[in-house]
Amino acid sequence: MSANDEQLFLKYVQENPINKQILQLAPQLGVSDWWLTAGALFQTVWNVLEGKDPQKGIRDYDFFYFDEDTSYEAEDAVIRRAQELFKDIDAEIEVRNEARVHIWYEKHFGIPAIPFLSSTDAIDHFAAKTCCFAVTTYKNGKTRVYAPHGYEDLFARRIIPSPVLAPREVYEAKIKRWLSTWPSLRAEPWPEQ
């Protein structure tokens, strides 16, 4: 993993004007351990690599933060503040407190989840290693990237499964959708156990 890879990644990510706007405004939200993550980033990179509109195929923009107050009311208050802050951005921005995921995960996906320790811990549990990217911006405008598996697979358009939490069906549903939008991708099969 090189500094050049990180710079190229950030350049591609910011070719999507929605990413750029979110990263500029988000420090004003006043939440801790926040990151723009998931498809907003890796799908933007795929679009740039394929010469497509940087926003193509991106359903929503995942915004993670981490707050030990796991009440629904606390998360809802942040979601409402974010809606106001991001009101001029023409996209669905999904704001979630990653400290709460274990509360609803089993009902949604059919398997239990342990409590995450941070937003980056949640990112480490994505269904594919190729999805594990996040960017945050500090109040001084500096950005920080989280890329625990590096950039090689992302730039090679290779999807690698990560069977740490998400069930196989989630991974396979995601790759089916992704391959229909980005046909140049290659997806590795879920490992047999």
Side-chain angles (χ1 to χ4, degrees):
M1 187 161 47
S2 74
N4 288 341
D5 288 341
E6 183 173 296
Q7 290 171 352
L8 186 60
F9 170 78
L10 278 172
K11 177 184 179 295
Y12 289 168
V13 162
Q14 294 187 38
E15 287 188 32
N16 181 334
I18 293 172
N19 287 340
K20 206 169 183 177
Q21 289 177 288
I22 292 169
L23 290 169
Q24 287 171 346
L25 291 171
Q28 297 173 42
L29 193 55
V31 293
S32 62
D33 191 18
W34 73 263
W35 299 84
L36 178 62
T37 188
L41 306 180
F42 65 84
Q43 291 172 11
T44 294
V45 172
W46 292 342
N47 283 330
V48 172
L49 291 172
E50 289 195 2
K52 296 179 177 178
D53 176 341
Q55 298 174 49
K56 181 173 176 56
I58 300 173
R59 290 183 184 173
D60 57 31
Y61 291 74
D62 290 303
F63 184 94
F64 287 9
Y65 73 98
F66 196 87
D67 184 346
E68 305 239 352
D69 183 345
T70 59
S71 69
Y72 170 84
E73 293 76 17
E75 183 181 50
D76 190 55
V78 172
I79 290 169
R80 282 187 274 108
R81 287 199 329 262
Q83 286 171 339
E84 180 61 27
L85 179 64
F86 300 135
K87 68 182 177 193
D88 294 328
I89 298 176
D90 186 22
E92 182 181 336
I93 302 168
E94 189 168 288
V95 177
R96 293 293 177 262
N97 179 5
E98 294 306 299
R100 293 190 78 244
V101 171
H102 67 283
I103 296 169
W104 54 261
Y105 194 90
E106 185 171 10
K107 184 176 181 184
H108 192 73
F109 291 109
I111 59 171
I114 60 167
F116 295 135
L117 304 174
S118 65
S119 290
T120 53
D121 185 29
I123 292 160
D124 290 341
H125 287 81
F126 283 168
K129 292 178 180 179
T130 318
C131 305
C132 297
F133 292 94
V135 179
T136 192
T137 308
Y138 300 108
K139 288 184 180 180
N140 65 6
K142 288 190 175 205
T143 57
R144 180 175 161 214
V145 175
Y146 183 69
H149 305 288
Y151 303 91
E152 183 179 344
D153 291 323
L154 176 66
F155 292 153
R157 292 176 257 185
R158 208 172 26 243
I159 306 168
I160 308 297
S162 180
V164 293
L165 176 62
R168 177 184 196 144
E169 304 78 49
V170 169
Y171 174 75
E172 290 176 346
K174 286 180 180 293
I175 62 172
K176 183 178 180 184
R177 184 177 79 80
W178 295 338
L179 289 169
S180 71
T181 304
W182 298 278
S184 69
L185 299 175
R186 287 178 296 126
E188 297 291 322
W190 190 263
E192 295 301 327
Q193 304 222 338

Short mmCIF file of all heavy atoms in Angstrom, two decimals, residues 156-181:
data_model
loop_
_atom_site.label_atom_id
_atom_site.label_comp_id
_atom_site.label_asym_id
_atom_site.label_seq_id
_atom_site.Cartn_x
_atom_site.Cartn_y
_atom_site.Cartn_z
N ALA A 156 -7.89 -3.24 -9.30
CA ALA A 156 -7.95 -4.36 -10.26
C ALA A 156 -9.39 -4.79 -10.53
O ALA A 156 -9.63 -5.70 -11.33
CB ALA A 156 -7.14 -5.54 -9.74
N ARG A 157 -10.35 -4.17 -9.83
CA ARG A 157 -11.78 -4.48 -9.95
C ARG A 157 -12.07 -5.95 -9.61
O ARG A 157 -12.85 -6.62 -10.26
CB ARG A 157 -12.29 -4.13 -11.35
CG ARG A 157 -12.30 -2.64 -11.57
CD ARG A 157 -12.69 -2.30 -12.95
NE ARG A 157 -11.48 -1.93 -13.67
CZ ARG A 157 -11.44 -1.48 -14.89
NH1 ARG A 157 -12.54 -1.34 -15.58
NH2 ARG A 157 -10.31 -1.17 -15.46
N ARG A 158 -11.42 -6.38 -8.54
CA ARG A 158 -11.58 -7.74 -8.04
C ARG A 158 -12.30 -7.69 -6.70
O ARG A 158 -11.89 -6.96 -5.80
CB ARG A 158 -10.17 -8.34 -7.84
CG ARG A 158 -10.05 -9.78 -7.95
CD ARG A 158 -8.60 -10.29 -7.95
NE ARG A 158 -7.61 -9.47 -7.30
CZ ARG A 158 -6.57 -8.90 -7.91
NH1 ARG A 158 -6.37 -9.04 -9.20
NH2 ARG A 158 -5.71 -8.17 -7.23
N ILE A 159 -13.38 -8.46 -6.57
CA ILE A 159 -14.15 -8.48 -5.33
C ILE A 159 -13.75 -9.73 -4.54
O ILE A 159 -13.87 -10.84 -5.05
CB ILE A 159 -15.67 -8.49 -5.60
CG1 ILE A 159 -16.07 -7.34 -6.52
CG2 ILE A 159 -16.44 -8.44 -4.29
CD1 ILE A 159 -17.47 -7.45 -7.07
N ILE A 160 -13.30 -9.50 -3.32
CA ILE A 160 -12.83 -10.59 -2.47
C ILE A 160 -13.77 -10.71 -1.27
O ILE A 160 -13.99 -9.73 -0.55
CB ILE A 160 -11.39 -10.31 -1.96
CG1 ILE A 160 -10.45 -9.98 -3.12
CG2 ILE A 160 -10.89 -11.47 -1.12
CD1 ILE A 160 -10.23 -11.08 -4.10
N PRO A 161 -14.35 -11.89 -1.02
CA PRO A 161 -15.27 -12.03 0.11
C PRO A 161 -14.56 -11.89 1.45
O PRO A 161 -13.36 -12.11 1.55
CB PRO A 161 -15.84 -13.44 -0.07
CG PRO A 161 -14.83 -14.17 -0.87
CD PRO A 161 -14.15 -13.15 -1.74
N SER A 162 -15.34 -11.52 2.44
CA SER A 162 -14.83 -11.39 3.81
C SER A 162 -15.84 -12.06 4.75
O SER A 162 -16.75 -11.42 5.25
CB SER A 162 -14.66 -9.91 4.17
OG SER A 162 -14.18 -9.79 5.49
N PRO A 163 -15.67 -13.36 4.99
CA PRO A 163 -16.67 -14.10 5.76
C PRO A 163 -16.54 -13.95 7.27
O PRO A 163 -16.56 -14.91 8.01
CB PRO A 163 -16.42 -15.54 5.31
CG PRO A 163 -14.98 -15.58 4.97
CD PRO A 163 -14.64 -14.21 4.45
N VAL A 164 -16.41 -12.71 7.75
CA VAL A 164 -16.27 -12.50 9.20
C VAL A 164 -17.62 -12.28 9.89
O VAL A 164 -17.74 -12.55 11.08
CB VAL A 164 -15.31 -11.33 9.53
CG1 VAL A 164 -13.89 -11.68 9.13
CG2 VAL A 164 -15.75 -10.04 8.88
N LEU A 165 -18.62 -11.80 9.18
CA LEU A 165 -19.93 -11.57 9.78
C LEU A 165 -21.07 -11.83 8.81
O LEU A 165 -21.92 -12.66 9.06
CB LEU A 165 -20.04 -10.13 10.35
CG LEU A 165 -21.41 -9.75 10.91
CD1 LEU A 165 -21.78 -10.65 12.10
CD2 LEU A 165 -21.42 -8.30 11.34
N ALA A 166 -21.09 -11.11 7.72
CA ALA A 166 -22.21 -11.18 6.79
C ALA A 166 -22.37 -12.60 6.25
O ALA A 166 -21.38 -13.28 5.97
CB ALA A 166 -22.00 -10.21 5.63
N PRO A 167 -23.59 -13.07 6.10
CA PRO A 167 -23.81 -14.40 5.53
C PRO A 167 -23.51 -14.43 4.03
O PRO A 167 -23.54 -13.41 3.34
CB PRO A 167 -25.28 -14.67 5.82
CG PRO A 167 -25.90 -13.37 6.12
CD PRO A 167 -24.82 -12.43 6.54
N ARG A 168 -23.25 -15.62 3.54
CA ARG A 168 -22.93 -15.84 2.13
C ARG A 168 -23.97 -15.21 1.21
O ARG A 168 -23.64 -14.63 0.17
CB ARG A 168 -22.85 -17.36 1.90
CG ARG A 168 -22.61 -17.76 0.48
CD ARG A 168 -22.65 -19.27 0.32
NE ARG A 168 -22.06 -19.64 -0.93
CZ ARG A 168 -21.34 -20.72 -1.12
NH1 ARG A 168 -21.11 -21.56 -0.14
NH2 ARG A 168 -20.84 -20.98 -2.32
N GLU A 169 -25.27 -15.33 1.58
CA GLU A 169 -26.34 -14.81 0.73
C GLU A 169 -26.21 -13.30 0.52
O GLU A 169 -26.54 -12.79 -0.55
CB GLU A 169 -27.72 -15.11 1.33
CG GLU A 169 -28.01 -16.57 1.61
CD GLU A 169 -27.35 -17.08 2.90
OE1 GLU A 169 -27.44 -16.45 3.96
OE2 GLU A 169 -26.71 -18.14 2.81
N VAL A 170 -25.77 -12.59 1.54
CA VAL A 170 -25.60 -11.14 1.42
C VAL A 170 -24.51 -10.84 0.39
O VAL A 170 -24.68 -10.00 -0.50
CB VAL A 170 -25.27 -10.50 2.80
CG1 VAL A 170 -24.83 -9.06 2.64
CG2 VAL A 170 -26.48 -10.60 3.72
N TYR A 171 -23.38 -11.53 0.52
CA TYR A 171 -22.28 -11.34 -0.43
C TYR A 171 -22.74 -11.65 -1.86
O TYR A 171 -22.51 -10.86 -2.78
CB TYR A 171 -21.10 -12.24 -0.03
CG TYR A 171 -19.95 -12.22 -1.02
CD1 TYR A 171 -19.09 -11.13 -1.10
CD2 TYR A 171 -19.72 -13.29 -1.88
CE1 TYR A 171 -18.04 -11.11 -2.00
CE2 TYR A 171 -18.68 -13.29 -2.78
CZ TYR A 171 -17.83 -12.19 -2.84
OH TYR A 171 -16.78 -12.18 -3.73
N GLU A 172 -23.40 -12.78 -2.04
CA GLU A 172 -23.80 -13.19 -3.38
C GLU A 172 -24.84 -12.26 -3.99
O GLU A 172 -24.81 -11.99 -5.19
CB GLU A 172 -24.26 -14.65 -3.37
CG GLU A 172 -23.08 -15.59 -3.12
CD GLU A 172 -23.45 -17.06 -2.98
OE1 GLU A 172 -24.66 -17.38 -2.80
OE2 GLU A 172 -22.52 -17.88 -3.03
N ALA A 173 -25.74 -11.73 -3.17
CA ALA A 173 -26.72 -10.76 -3.68
C ALA A 173 -26.02 -9.47 -4.10
O ALA A 173 -26.36 -8.88 -5.13
CB ALA A 173 -27.78 -10.48 -2.62
N LYS A 174 -25.04 -9.06 -3.31
CA LYS A 174 -24.30 -7.84 -3.65
C LYS A 174 -23.53 -8.01 -4.96
O LYS A 174 -23.58 -7.14 -5.83
CB LYS A 174 -23.36 -7.44 -2.51
CG LYS A 174 -24.09 -6.85 -1.31
CD LYS A 174 -23.11 -6.48 -0.22
CE LYS A 174 -23.80 -5.90 0.99
NZ LYS A 174 -24.42 -4.60 0.75
N ILE A 175 -22.81 -9.12 -5.09
CA ILE A 175 -22.01 -9.26 -6.31
C ILE A 175 -22.89 -9.39 -7.55
O ILE A 175 -22.53 -8.90 -8.62
CB ILE A 175 -20.96 -10.40 -6.23
CG1 ILE A 175 -21.58 -11.76 -6.04
CG2 ILE A 175 -19.91 -10.11 -5.18
CD1 ILE A 175 -20.59 -12.91 -6.16
N LYS A 176 -24.05 -9.99 -7.40
CA LYS A 176 -24.98 -10.09 -8.54
C LYS A 176 -25.37 -8.69 -9.02
O LYS A 176 -25.36 -8.39 -10.22
CB LYS A 176 -26.21 -10.90 -8.15
CG LYS A 176 -27.18 -11.11 -9.28
CD LYS A 176 -28.36 -11.96 -8.85
CE LYS A 176 -29.33 -12.14 -10.01
NZ LYS A 176 -30.52 -12.87 -9.62
N ARG A 177 -25.73 -7.83 -8.07
CA ARG A 177 -26.10 -6.46 -8.43
C ARG A 177 -24.90 -5.69 -9.00
O ARG A 177 -25.01 -5.01 -10.03
CB ARG A 177 -26.66 -5.71 -7.21
CG ARG A 177 -27.15 -4.30 -7.57
CD ARG A 177 -27.77 -3.59 -6.39
NE ARG A 177 -26.81 -3.03 -5.47
CZ ARG A 177 -26.15 -1.89 -5.66
NH1 ARG A 177 -26.34 -1.18 -6.76
NH2 ARG A 177 -25.32 -1.43 -4.76
N TRP A 178 -23.76 -5.82 -8.34
CA TRP A 178 -22.58 -5.09 -8.80
C TRP A 178 -22.16 -5.52 -10.19
O TRP A 178 -21.82 -4.68 -11.03
CB TRP A 178 -21.42 -5.28 -7.82
CG TRP A 178 -21.66 -4.68 -6.46
CD1 TRP A 178 -22.53 -3.68 -6.12
CD2 TRP A 178 -21.02 -5.06 -5.24
NE1 TRP A 178 -22.47 -3.43 -4.77
CE2 TRP A 178 -21.55 -4.25 -4.21
CE3 TRP A 178 -20.06 -6.01 -4.91
CZ2 TRP A 178 -21.14 -4.36 -2.89
CZ3 TRP A 178 -19.64 -6.11 -3.60
CH2 TRP A 178 -20.18 -5.29 -2.59
N LEU A 179 -22.16 -6.82 -10.47
CA LEU A 179 -21.74 -7.29 -11.79
C LEU A 179 -22.69 -6.82 -12.89
O LEU A 179 -22.27 -6.62 -14.03
CB LEU A 179 -21.64 -8.82 -11.80
CG LEU A 179 -20.47 -9.40 -11.00
CD1 LEU A 179 -20.61 -10.91 -10.85
CD2 LEU A 179 -19.13 -9.05 -11.65
N SER A 180 -23.96 -6.60 -12.56
CA SER A 180 -24.89 -6.10 -13.56
C SER A 180 -24.64 -4.63 -13.90
O SER A 180 -24.95 -4.17 -14.98
CB SER A 180 -26.34 -6.30 -13.11
OG SER A 180 -26.66 -5.43 -12.05
N THR A 181 -24.04 -3.90 -12.95
CA THR A 181 -23.76 -2.48 -13.18
C THR A 181 -22.33 -2.25 -13.66
O THR A 181 -22.09 -1.36 -14.48
CB THR A 181 -23.99 -1.68 -11.87
OG1 THR A 181 -25.33 -1.93 -11.42
CG2 THR A 181 -23.82 -0.19 -12.08
#
